[in-house]
Amino acid sequence: MKEEMTKEQKEFLAAEGKVVIKACPGSGKTYTVAHKLLSYIDDWKGYHSGVAVLSFTNVASNEIQEKAQSIHGSLGELGYPHFIGTVDSFIDEFIVLRYGHLEMVGNVRPRIAMTDTLKKPYKFWRSACHSKGCVNNIEQFYYGIDKQFYKGKELVKCDKGRAPMLPCKQYKKMLLDSGIIFQNETALFAYQLLKKYPTIATAIAERFPIIIIDEAQDTSVNQMAVFDLLGESGIESMFLVGDSDQSIYEWRNANPECFLEKIEDTNWRTIELTGNFRSSQNICNATSYFSASLRGMRSNNAIGYWKDEAQKPILLLMKDNSETDIINYFISKCEEMEIEISPKNIAVLTRGRIYSDTDINGLWKSTEIELFANAAYEWKYGSRKKAYESTEKATYNMIFNEDADRYVMQQKIRENTTEESWKDFIIEILVNMPDVDMEIAEWVNDFSVDFAEYCKKYKYEISSDKNIKTTFKIKRSDTKTPNFKKIALKNYFEKKKEDKYTRSSIHGVKGESYEAVLVYIKSRTGNTLTPKLLMEGELGQELMRLAYVAMTRPKRLLMLAMPDTEGIKDCDRFSEELWSYENI
């Protein structure tokens, strides 16, 4: 990134009040947000108030922190009174856990859980409801900001209740009366608290007079409602930074309409970052046809080092070619352009899993065995901190038979053992887990034996409700992939593989850049990326946004490989003026 900032970036740095930053791919968003943060904290006078910079993943939050440190030079880890973290952690820590007792039975501190922790039988819950096709995962049910009751994205429409309240609603009430709130409900709970107790919103506005939300296109309706209330309660400046065309997390309730509404709201000022430091102008021109905001009417301006790259995006039309043929063709093209073949330079992207034979519906029969298996993978290939946390959480569930937040976990551990003994116990489980290169069925069997031995060694008794034989299980059979039990465990968790090149799902490279990218479209049909969808699909849908994210990752070479389809050359989105057609 150039040291000299663009006029648009400087406008963002000078802005105050309610501001939307509409940032195109490659616009230096993280760099600019980090500069905005530094513009405040370099001369910050408040001792007990600070700046909150929020994103939607710990990875994104860490990137902002690291970018600020690299720009500043002598900046240490940013702590109190400022806060850099996720939107969820901000809502949980400063609203739900701090003030939630006001709405709890007995004024107890609420517990935030991911899944059902009571597992109590209910008169209609497992019989009538489940037999009628309604899933028994109560965490999928929640109340919306509109006070309607939802399951996933759909309104619950049911006339089978035999009581004054539907069984699912009664079960939710029982959980709430027990002090349990699911993570997907915390924003709504926070909103209700702020509405009922306006002084809480005022206190938070005083604590964080400046709030910057990165990747704001991924906010849910409930989350945006929380920040709207804070904005009305004395926040000095709030910045929503994002790009609605890059919203690819609707499955976790992200709603790009929340971001788009702010762009149209006259109470908010909009600043556009249209300069693309990443891609060539040829790539910008071609990808503009897949953007709902650009629609091919205009394209973003390439202003980076490779802006004048002559190579047009390549549309590689497949017939009966193997995956190996396609990837080898891509690599040879990279070599022809003198692009070094390495994981940091080239990437092969697919929708969903990078191993299609690991897409097994209902694979894990309990949350605990999935957590342990994921911990084994993280320990060897990912984050050892995540591995420890997953192991501790699953072990706690097995022994105490409850899914609790970290605060409650630590409290209960202290009541039953020493912290040192517990830590030694978790680490011994973790470091001695079977190798993740083992077949998944063999791994589960071996780990089941090992876990029982470690519990016996450290004298921890497994809960009678958590029998190892029934808890540590995977699916018995799958007609689509009959040999799934023989696949290595690591393949079920590997979302990105970096060997000769990067092999990743599209979600796995959000925010990243490569010299060259192959977007590999395998299917002709189905609810996935297909030639027909790319040729005719509505631009506002999530699958199209997913394609847009993938196609805007490269700097020099974009290759899109997909089955040859009739009429493609007559499609405006794939005009020969924008794309170079090639066949193998």
Side-chain angles (χ1 to χ4, degrees), residues 293-330:
S293 60
L294 299 174
R295 295 182 177 273
M297 303 300 291
R298 61 186 176 92
S299 61
N300 294 310
N301 301 315
I303 56 176
Y305 184 82
W306 294 106
K307 62 185 176 68
D308 296 321
E309 168 63 60
Q311 175 64 57
K312 289 195 295 187
I314 295 173
L315 185 59
L316 186 62
L317 298 175
M318 307 182 294
K319 294 191 182 295
D320 297 318
N321 312 102
S322 69
E323 182 175 295
T324 301
D325 290 338
I326 301 300
I327 293 174
N328 286 341
Y329 189 89
F330 169 63

Side-chain angles (χ1 to χ4, degrees), residues 361-379:
N361 187 39
L363 174 65
W364 307 101
K365 292 303 180 184
S366 74
T367 301
E368 289 79 17
I369 190 59
E370 184 175 7
L371 282 169
F372 280 127
N374 182 245
Y377 173 78
E378 287 288 343
W379 184 259

